[in-house]
């Protein structure tokens, strides 16, 4: 017996009846079954197993395929699992909560987080894409944006939304299967595709699928923050694609970042003056405006 269980509308299975049932040929749950004779005894027990069957199970999103043999025979299962999800390290969450720096090297205001947060709170797709060159703090921007949205407003039980990171462990990185992204209720997801987005064979289709997925996320009070590289997101192809994009253009002040981390993350505020730039501390010269910042 071959059975396909899909999470969605069910398709009828071929009927097996009578002591001399004919060979079944035709469409079955997405593919043909050929040469599959089966005979039922009068009391309804399967007296002759399906001897040979070919079932095409391609493109069965989130499906479980069960193939069973005789009474004591082989049973196998196959499932298309969602992409793995991991917790955000507590140290990173503590840093974006207590030691966030929104000023550049010359004390200029950096608007990226405010823009990204606005996009997540706007009706429609619960998606923001943060793009930029390496070293501009895109991950920190994404985490800070997600943290703000997760904590205001809280859920009905007074708790913040969860924050999770999706590992982009695609079977085909050049053609990501967006249908495998998780969509649990009450979660802010972070998805970093900066290292792979240039390799997407059809970036427009993949980006559009991410927008559609994020529309579904909003219905369950969840959000998606995507980290991209400088040029991979196909913003020029449509207004919908450009409308979810935020660009990081300036590094936060490295001196402020170091000082705030010493004060609030590592609990040594007396050492913050060592790296501050005004007046310059004894270690301030070790940091430059080009210092890499995640």
């Amino acid at each position: 017996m071959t059975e396909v269980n899909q999470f969605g509308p069910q398709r009828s299975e071929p009927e097996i009846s009578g002591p001399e049932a004919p060979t079944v040929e035709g469409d079955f749950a997405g593919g043909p079954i050929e040469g599959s004779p089966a005979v039922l005894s009068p009391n309804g027990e399967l007296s002759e197993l399906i001897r040979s069957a070919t079932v095409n199970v391609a493109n069965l999103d989130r499906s479980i395929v069960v193939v069973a043999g005789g009474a004591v025979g082989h049973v196998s299962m196959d499932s298309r699992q969602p992409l793995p999800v991991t917790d955000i390290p507590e140290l990173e969450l503590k840093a974006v909560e207590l030691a966030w720096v929104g000023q550049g090297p010359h004390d200029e205001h950096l608007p990226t987080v405010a823009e990204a947060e606005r996009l997540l709170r706007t009706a429609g797709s619960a998606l923001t894409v943060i793009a930029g060159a390496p070293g501009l703090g895109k991950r920190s921007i994404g985490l800070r944006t997600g943290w703000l949205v997760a904590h205001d407003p809280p859920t009905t039980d007074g708790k913040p939304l969860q924050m999770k990171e999706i590992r982009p462990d695609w079977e085909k990185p050049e053609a990501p299967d967006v249908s495998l992204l998780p969509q649990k209720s009450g979660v802010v997801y972070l998805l970093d595709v900066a290292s792979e987005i240039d390799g997407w064979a059809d970036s427009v289709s993949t980006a559009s699928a991410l927008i559609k997925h994020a529309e579904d996320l909003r219905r369950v009070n969840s959000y998606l923050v995507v980290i991209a590289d400088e040029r991979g997101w196909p913003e020029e192809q449509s207004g919908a694609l450009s409308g979810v994009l935020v660009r990081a253009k300036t590094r936060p002040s490295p001196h402020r970042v170091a000082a705030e981390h010493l004060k609030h993350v590592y609990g040594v505020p007396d050492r913050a003056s060592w790296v501050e730039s005004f007046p310059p501390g004894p270690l301030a010269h070790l940091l430059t405006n080009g210092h890499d910042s995640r």
Side-chain angles (χ1 to χ4, degrees), residues 30-148:
I33 290 185
E34 301 172 351
S36 304
V39 179
L40 289 176
S41 64
N43 63 6
E45 295 179 353
L46 189 64
S47 60
E48 185 176 348
L49 299 174
I50 297 176
R51 290 175 183 160
S52 63
T54 301
V55 182
N56 180 5
V57 294
N59 301 318
L60 296 181
D61 292 344
R62 301 176 186 266
S63 298
I64 297 176
V65 180
V66 182
V67 180
V72 198
H74 172 72
V75 176
S76 64
M77 298 181 67
D78 185 27
S79 176
R80 301 184 66 202
Q81 297 294 334
L83 293 180
V85 174
T86 59
D87 292 330
I88 307 292
E90 287 296 326
L91 191 64
E92 286 193 274
L93 294 179
K94 184 177 181 180
V96 298
E97 176 188 1
L98 302 176
W100 174 251
V101 173
Q103 294 81 34
H106 305 291
D107 290 335
E108 68 272 38
H109 172 66
L110 303 182
T112 317
V113 168
E115 294 173 0
E117 183 186 3
R118 176 185 58 79
L119 287 177
L120 286 186
R121 296 190 186 279
T122 302
S125 173
L127 169 69
T128 184
V129 179
I130 300 169
L136 294 181
K138 293 177 295 183
R139 179 180 176 88
S140 295
I141 292 170
L143 290 175
R144 174 66 175 180
T145 302
W147 188 90
L148 291 172

Side-chain angles (χ1 to χ4, degrees), residues 196-210:
E196 68 173 44
I197 191 171
D198 275 343
W200 288 356
D202 189 345
S203 60
V204 174
S205 293
T206 301
S208 299
L210 285 170

Side-chain angles (χ1 to χ4, degrees), residues 10 28 56 79 97 106 115 165 172 189 202 208 216 219 225 274:
Q10 300 296 315
F28 174 58
N56 180 5
S79 176
E97 176 188 1
H106 305 291
E115 294 173 0
E165 182 168 8
K172 296 180 179 179
Y189 292 108
D202 189 345
S208 299
D216 296 335
R219 297 187 185 99
V225 178
W274 296 1

